[in-house]
Amino acid sequence: MIEENLLFEHSSPESITIITTYKCTAACNDCCFESNPKIKGKLDEAKIKDFILESYNSFKDLKVVIFTGGEPLLLGRSLFNCIEYASSFGLITRIVTNGYWGKTSVLAQKIAKNLKNANLSEINISTGLDHAQFVPIEHVINAIKALSEQKIPNRVTVESDFEDGSFYKNLIEAPEVEKTLNINPGLLSFQINTWMPFHTDSETRKPPALNTVDIPCTQLFSNLVLTPHGRVSSCCGLTFEHIDQLKIGYYQNGNLKDLYKSQFEDFLKIWINIDGPIGIIRKVMGEQFIETLGDIHHLCQACALLHKDERILNKLKDVYPLYIEEILSKYSKNIFLKKVKDELRVCKNEA
Amino acid sequence: MKRRKFLKITGIGLAISPVVAKAERIFGTPDSLKLIPTNNISSHITLPLSKAQIPTAVFNEVSKYSLLWNRVLSDKNFSIRFFRNPRQAMLDSGLTDLANYKKHELSTLLALRDKNVLDALEVRDYRKFFENLKPYITKSQEYVSNSRLDEINTFIQNKGLSMKSELNNPTTRMNQSIPNLVKNNELAFMAASICGNETALVAAAAVFVVVAVVAVTYVGVGVNVAGVLNVAGYISVVAKTAVATSGAIPTSITASQTGWLYTAANTAEIPDLSKVTYDSLLTAANTSKLNGDILLNKISIAEIVKREINVSIRAAENIGMIHILPAQREDLIKSMTNYTLKVMGVNY
């Protein structure tokens, strides 16, 4: 099909995410993978390196490799080797960790040094109210200090709190954190990541404004994910392990490009990329239906609703041809505009 | 205060977990817990995008569009000729069927091929933006027609706005005064308030481009400039259609009026959206977004939008693209702010 070539030939992931293991030192109540210290499923070093190499050779726009989990540092030496391997291609490398390895200052310094030696570009430490039940804030602070000493850029992600919560405030106002911020202000930053419920008895937290989650999903097509089970996923959003349609196949040497291309056979993925899950639900079900869905905390929560609510799915299957022209033309324009911006960036750099 | 709330989401099967028995999972058991994951590689297609599944008319339209864009993206020489003269490039290349295809979209893209237009948008320099956009908008005058009213209606409905049925019939609107239009439809009022000669009437659409830019700039993360284009394209059509069908719009403006307005616009002090003010408001908007303080988030965004629209309208006036009667300025700013917030989905 002509448009399939258009969409595929001019698209490329800019990042790959490798979920190295589901195992984690923590067992947070509303973890998206229900990670814990006993859960099975991890990738070996050879498989990770194959995936990195094939991604590098297949996707022209690839820039970033993200190692996450579970807790990726449970892979030990293998993780450092894989970071070094990805860096050798000139790719930006990032790990997402809970900071458990900051148990003591000495241990934190050792790990931070290993990460530096592996040429790690940047790190995200995930923490917050749930994480802190398993990884004390003091350990996180040790990790923050050690990373700063090694001059590794670090963005600390704090899960959103209860209405009366003060975790975020306590963290950024901790004397050791303030001191670190003063010494290397450009290397440490903080962000709040929206929490979402996974169980019917989850203690819900204050939802964000609807307009902050009523957005397109830019992760689709710009990211490609390898899971600990060796599957390839279209995204690594919070609910992707709950949505069959986001898993596009098993990774085997040589099939990555075909798997990526196969995503364009599913119009819903293109649609999510343009209108976002809430935008789609609004279009096909109407504004009033959105109000019946209750609190929506996260874009990925809406994506799960979109894929699992039979009422929405049935309506989608009936009406989607009506939206094909509009959505594909918008996607084409996105591709075009990206090309123009890339050209302009090159011109500016040359100037 | 912690609160426990049972989510009720009808229509989703709740899986009973062998691992976590304490509560029901809202979205079922994640694949991470399944030792043998479902090996169903064909299940990833929800809405098949194949010829067999799509009505022929839709397929043909999409194919035409794909043909054009594939050529623009793949063939550098064609791309250069296309942006110089789209119609001629298509005819020369045998794309005769496409020569009259979607002119409005081509014109928008032509404008955004211009580095100066893009640069001005990025730094929110509306004076430069209008100056650089002006030739493209004037050139694209021909593309708008009332035949797209259905499409416009759909767009407006999708955005949660309402278009009164009488707007579909120009004859019923011919004798309506501007105040009536305000009550009936603020979009028509906005278009009616931006007046001038024929060129200026078309250029009124440019103001709506800014409205669109402002809207998507503050919607939140994940909206890129391409999103602006889509909104801008549609809104410019809306503006032009409202202009073309509204009997309340002056068909021309006298030289003395123009001169007076132009002088006034030039001598009037342009209200500055200073960097300090902008940064403070944006910080307030971002902080409140993170904290889930919906009211503060809305207030901050509304204040930025209002100020930004004010500045952009002044910029358009100063280069003579549009003229606004002083008595209507306040209501116009208010309407445009409300409209922008609606487009953004912010019910303020």
Side-chain angles (χ1 to χ4, degrees):
Chain A
M1 193 173 172
I2 295 168
E3 67 275 14
E4 188 184 297
N5 290 335
L6 169 77
L7 301 176
F8 168 66
E9 293 297 338
H10 302 285
S11 301
S12 162
E14 294 184 353
S15 63
I16 53 172
T17 300
I18 299 164
I19 303 172
T20 53
T21 175
Y22 289 125
K23 189 175 282 190
C24 186
T25 56
C28 301
N29 272 341
D30 278 297
C31 172
C32 55
F33 301 153
E34 299 190 19
S35 287
N36 61 62
K38 291 181 179 173
I39 192 173
K40 305 286 182 194
K42 74 166 194 173
L43 292 164
D44 61 40
E45 188 176 326
K47 187 105 171 174
I48 294 173
K49 285 181 174 174
D50 284 348
F51 186 73
I52 292 169
L53 178 64
E54 190 170 338
S55 298
Y56 178 75
N57 288 330
S58 304
F59 305 121
K60 60 184 170 57
D61 292 343
L62 183 68
K63 296 181 187 72
V64 185
V65 181
I66 301 149
F67 300 91
T68 184
E71 173 49 56
L73 277 152
L74 290 175
L75 259 68
R77 172 51 54 191
S78 288
L79 179 72
F80 303 131
N81 293 343
C82 291
I83 294 169
E84 195 170 5
Y85 184 71
S87 299
S88 71
F89 295 103
L91 297 167
I92 294 167
T93 52
R94 182 191 308 153
I95 67 166
V96 183
T97 172
N98 64 24
Y100 81 97
W101 42 275
K103 210 167 190 172
T104 66
S105 296
V106 175
L107 185 58
Q109 285 162 4
K110 185 184 163 192
I111 298 292
K113 196 170 181 183
N114 283 338
L115 292 170
K116 184 71 176 179
N117 289 340
N119 287 323
L120 180 73
S121 312
E122 57 197 34
I123 191 166
N124 285 168
I125 295 184
S126 297
T127 186
L129 212 55
D130 286 349
H131 285 83
Q133 292 178 38
F134 305 92
V135 183
I137 195 168
E138 295 77 20
H139 299 183
V140 171
I141 291 172
N142 284 339
I144 288 173
K145 279 169 58 186
L147 290 164
S148 179
E149 284 164 15
Q150 291 297 330
K151 300 204 176 343
I152 298 175
N154 176 14
R155 173 164 286 195
V156 179
T157 305
V158 182
E159 79 207 35
S160 57
D161 211 336
F162 292 105
E163 287 174 39
D164 57 351
S166 54
F167 187 94
Y168 179 77
K169 189 170 177 286
N170 290 343
L171 177 64
I172 60 171
E173 289 178 359
E176 293 285 6
V177 172
E178 284 190 338
K179 196 174 160 190
T180 306
L181 266 171
N182 289 335
I183 295 169
N184 282 315
L187 288 175
L188 179 60
S189 61
F190 295 85
Q191 68 178 13
I192 295 176
N193 195 21
T194 311
W195 170 96
M196 67 162 280
F198 279 90
H199 298 94
T200 50
D201 71 343
S202 295
E203 293 171 274
T204 66
R205 304 179 187 183
K206 196 174 182 182
L210 185 63
N211 65 309
T212 63
V213 291
D214 184 4
I215 53 178
C217 174
T218 52
Q219 198 181 140
L220 285 173
F221 308 121
S222 67
N223 191 15
L224 207 57
V225 180
L226 183 63
T227 78
H229 288 146
R231 300 171 99 182
V232 177
S233 169
S234 300
C235 77
C236 62
L238 289 178
T239 51
F240 92 87
E241 285 288 32
H242 297 78
I243 302 172
D244 286 343
Q245 294 92 329
L246 291 175
K247 261 79 71 174
I248 51 180
Y250 281 86
Y251 173 58
Q252 292 169 332
N253 269 348
N255 74 346
L256 203 49
K257 216 166 177 171
D258 284 341
L259 290 179
Y260 181 74
K261 185 178 180 180
S262 72
Q263 298 179 97
F264 294 98
E265 292 165 17
D266 186 1
F267 177 66
L268 187 57
K269 290 185 175 64
I270 302 170
W271 202 354
I272 293 170
N273 182 253
I274 296 297
D275 279 345
I278 296 178
I280 296 172
I281 296 171
R282 180 183 288 110
K283 265 184 178 168
V284 300
M285 305 298 287
E287 184 70 42
Q288 286 185 334
F289 185 85
I290 300 278
E291 289 163 16
T292 69
L293 295 174
D295 293 342
I296 298 178
H297 293 257
H298 201 283
L299 175 70
C300 300
Q301 184 184 358
C303 194
L305 292 169
L306 179 68
H307 282 92
K308 285 176 175 282
D309 190 312
E310 292 295 334
R311 295 167 298 172
I312 302 173
L313 281 176
N314 289 336
K315 189 76 188 287
L316 272 177
K317 283 170 185 165
D318 281 345
V319 302
Y320 84 95
L322 300 174
Y323 297 94
I324 288 175
E325 190 194 347
E326 174 202 342
I327 299 303
L328 290 191
S329 70
K330 285 181 179 173
Y331 189 85
S332 306
K333 277 193 284 186
N334 282 3
I335 296 173
F336 165 77
L337 194 75
K338 184 176 176 301
K339 187 181 165 79
V340 171
K341 289 177 90 174
D342 286 346
E343 284 174 9
L344 288 175
R345 204 175 298 130
V346 170
C347 291
K348 277 181 185 170
N349 290 341
E350 285 174 355
Chain B
M1 178 74 71
K2 289 181 183 180
R3 62 197 172 102
R4 187 165 291 255
K5 182 178 176 183
F6 286 85
L7 295 178
K8 292 176 183 173
I9 302 166
T10 323
I12 297 176
L14 299 175
I16 304 299
S17 160
V19 179
V20 182
K22 64 188 174 89
E24 287 182 300
R25 295 186 176 95
I26 298 170
F27 306 110
T29 306
D31 282 352
S32 48
L33 293 182
K34 296 173 185 168
L35 294 178
I36 306 168
T38 315
N39 189 359
N40 184 359
I41 57 169
S42 64
S43 69
H44 66 273
I45 296 176
T46 308
L47 306 178
L49 193 55
S50 65
K51 189 174 181 178
Q53 306 281 345
I54 304 170
T56 309
V58 174
F59 179 82
N60 289 342
E61 282 295 288
V62 171
S63 296
K64 275 190 218 170
Y65 201 75
S66 299
L67 191 65
L68 172 63
W69 287 111
N70 212 19
R71 190 77 189 271
V72 169
L73 290 164
S74 311
D75 182 343
K76 197 165 185 176
N77 287 331
F78 177 77
S79 178
I80 292 167
R81 283 186 289 123
F82 175 77
F83 284 103
R84 197 180 296 136
N85 187 339
R87 184 179 166 78
Q88 196 57 50
M90 284 188 274
L91 288 173
D92 291 347
S93 304
L95 301 173
T96 48
D97 195 31
L98 297 174
N100 294 311
Y101 188 65
K102 296 205 172 192
K103 284 184 180 176
H104 62 291
E105 294 193 1
L106 300 183
S107 301
T108 316
L109 291 172
L110 270 173
L112 283 138
R113 182 74 176 182
D114 188 323
K115 181 179 176 301
N116 295 325
V117 173
L118 265 187
D119 282 351
L121 259 184
E122 273 193 24
V123 297
R124 299 164 36 251
D125 183 336
Y126 295 125
R127 180 190 292 267
K128 274 191 186 166
F129 170 71
F130 281 120
E131 281 172 353
N132 294 318
L133 195 66
K134 196 173 177 180
Y136 296 100
I137 287 179
T138 310
K139 198 188 291 182
S140 66
Q141 187 172 352
E142 62 184 80
Y143 70 67
V144 186
S145 79
N146 292 338
S147 63
R148 302 192 72 206
L149 207 57
D150 285 345
E151 187 182 351
I152 293 160
N153 257 324
T154 306
F155 170 75
I156 289 175
Q157 280 158 11
N158 286 343
K159 288 292 175 194
L161 304 174
S162 63
M163 184 180 245
K164 297 288 181 188
S165 57
E166 61 265 32
L167 289 177
N168 288 324
N169 183 355
T171 56
T172 63
R173 297 179 59 231
M174 284 298 282
N175 298 319
Q176 286 193 66
S177 63
I178 286 179
N180 280 339
L181 284 173
V182 179
K183 286 174 195 161
N184 288 340
N185 187 284
E186 63 188 358
L187 192 62
F189 165 70
M190 287 187 275
S193 302
I194 301 167
C195 50
N197 55 28
E198 274 304 302
T199 304
L201 285 175
V202 179
V207 174
F208 289 88
V209 174
V210 168
V211 172
V213 172
V214 172
V216 298
T217 301
Y218 302 112
V219 162
V221 290
V223 180
N224 55 24
V225 183
V228 178
L229 293 185
N230 296 325
V231 180
Y234 282 110
I235 291 183
S236 63
V237 172
V238 173
K240 175 56 182 166
T241 305
V243 168
T245 57
S246 171
I249 298 168
T251 52
S252 63
I253 194 162
T254 65
S256 61
Q257 279 175 310
T258 310
W260 181 84
L261 283 169
Y262 191 65
T263 307
N266 272 327
T267 51
E269 187 186 348
I270 297 177
D272 183 29
L273 181 57
S274 71
K275 191 175 182 311
V276 175
T277 311
Y278 175 72
D279 287 347
S280 312
L281 287 167
L282 202 58
T283 303
N286 285 334
T287 310
S288 52
K289 182 172 77 178
L290 290 171
N291 292 336
D293 188 334
I294 297 169
L295 183 62
L296 181 60
N297 182 252
K298 284 179 180 176
I299 291 171
S300 314
I301 289 174
E303 194 56 34
I304 297 176
V305 168
K306 189 172 80 181
R307 287 165 187 255
E308 195 124 32
I309 283 173
N310 200 12
V311 171
S312 64
I313 285 177
R314 291 278 189 187
E317 282 182 305
N318 276 2
I319 65 163
M321 279 185 78
I322 61 168
H323 307 289
I324 297 162
L325 296 171
Q328 289 176 212
R329 172 175 297 281
E330 195 179 328
D331 283 343
L332 177 65
I333 302 282
K334 198 174 166 186
S335 287
M336 291 185 91
T337 304
N338 285 338
Y339 179 78
T340 306
L341 292 172
K342 281 185 196 170
V343 170
M344 293 165 68
V346 177
N347 298 315
Y348 181 61

